[in-house]
Amino acid sequence: MQTNQLELRCIQQDADTQRTDFNFYIDGIALDKWLGFDKQTDLRFSDFDLDFFVVDKARFPNYDRHKIIRSKIEQYLGNKPVYTQLDNNRLVLYRCHCGSDYCSVIACDLEITNDYVKWFNIAYEDGLEKDDALELDEHGITPIKQLIFNRKQYQQVFDEYLEQYLSLSKYSFITGRY
């Protein structure tokens, strides 16, 4: 089976705002480019659950960005049920800068086997009924039928991210623990 190569790259760091942005790269090309938009400039899809940013602790004392990132990675690894506001069990890859899944997301179905991880039906969603939704072409998004990753390589991408950016020991796919 032909597999794709997944990478998770740091694409921008801003010392002034203490923000670090990441993006998925598939076979050396940014996933947002495959889909036909620019994550850094298109506010419809600029929210990426693995980005780091500082949150005002006075206004949001219980907000823990690292906990949110770890939870999202557990979803990517299949060790935690996928949660979306759309309640459709599709893994959100990008969402609107406002954070609402009903505004707009790029999501996929996730399938994990012993050897492979598959993202399929990667497409735009907005929570509208299909009869009410605009045609995909009107959003300028190019759906992707499927991406297939070697499970070990996929795991390694998230292990490296966790170790480098969250200073955590490796997450085990088998035990579901850090």
Side-chain angles (χ1 to χ4, degrees):
M1 180 181 296
Q2 179 75 22
T3 61
N4 299 98
Q5 186 76 19
L6 177 69
E7 295 175 71
L8 182 54
R9 293 184 192 171
C10 176
I11 58 171
Q12 181 176 347
Q13 288 184 301
D14 186 337
D16 292 336
T17 62
Q18 297 179 346
R19 181 176 177 90
T20 304
D21 293 336
F22 296 86
N23 201 358
F24 287 118
Y25 279 72
I26 313 299
D27 301 332
I29 300 169
L31 180 58
D32 58 334
K33 301 296 180 245
W34 284 61
L35 293 160
F37 70 94
D38 183 342
K39 172 189 177 307
Q40 294 299 101
T41 60
D42 190 333
L43 293 179
R44 297 175 305 163
F45 309 114
S46 62
D47 187 4
F48 190 69
D49 288 325
L50 304 180
D51 289 342
F52 287 107
F53 49 83
V54 175
V55 174
D56 183 346
K57 287 292 188 181
R59 292 180 58 205
F60 305 100
N62 297 321
Y63 189 90
D64 183 345
R65 186 72 188 155
H66 287 189
K67 184 177 179 181
I68 290 168
I69 291 170
R70 285 190 300 270
S71 177
K72 188 64 176 191
I73 287 175
E74 288 184 50
Q75 291 177 34
Y76 278 104
L77 297 177
N79 291 314
K80 184 175 186 176
V82 172
Y83 168 79
T84 71
Q85 295 164 342
L86 300 176
D87 201 27
N88 62 7
N89 298 322
R90 287 177 45 84
L91 183 66
V92 172
L93 302 172
Y94 304 99
R95 68 172 45 86
C96 177
H97 73 285
C98 74
S100 173
D101 293 349
Y102 291 102
C103 193
S104 59
V105 299
I106 302 292
C108 69
D109 293 307
L110 176 69
E111 179 182 309
I112 299 175
T113 68
N114 288 336
D115 298 318
Y116 301 103
V117 175
K118 297 177 185 178
W119 293 354
F120 56 99
N121 301 322
I122 304 167
Y124 171 87
E125 295 180 39
D126 59 13
L128 295 175
E129 293 296 324
K130 295 227 184 276
D131 293 340
D132 297 330
L134 297 172
E135 294 297 317
L136 287 175
D137 290 345
E138 293 182 37
H139 294 287
I141 302 302
T142 305
I144 300 171
K145 184 175 181 172
Q146 135 177 308
L147 297 170
I148 302 171
F149 309 104
N150 173 286
R151 186 172 172 174
K152 288 180 183 176
Q153 190 271 325
Y154 184 87
Q155 173 72 47
Q156 183 179 354
V157 166
F158 289 101
D159 285 347
E160 289 171 0
Y161 171 89
L162 287 168
E163 195 164 305
Q164 184 172 358
Y165 295 102
L166 291 182
S167 300
L168 294 174
S169 60
K170 293 194 178 203
Y171 185 92
S172 170
F173 227 145
I174 297 166
T175 66
R177 296 185 182 157
Y178 290 97

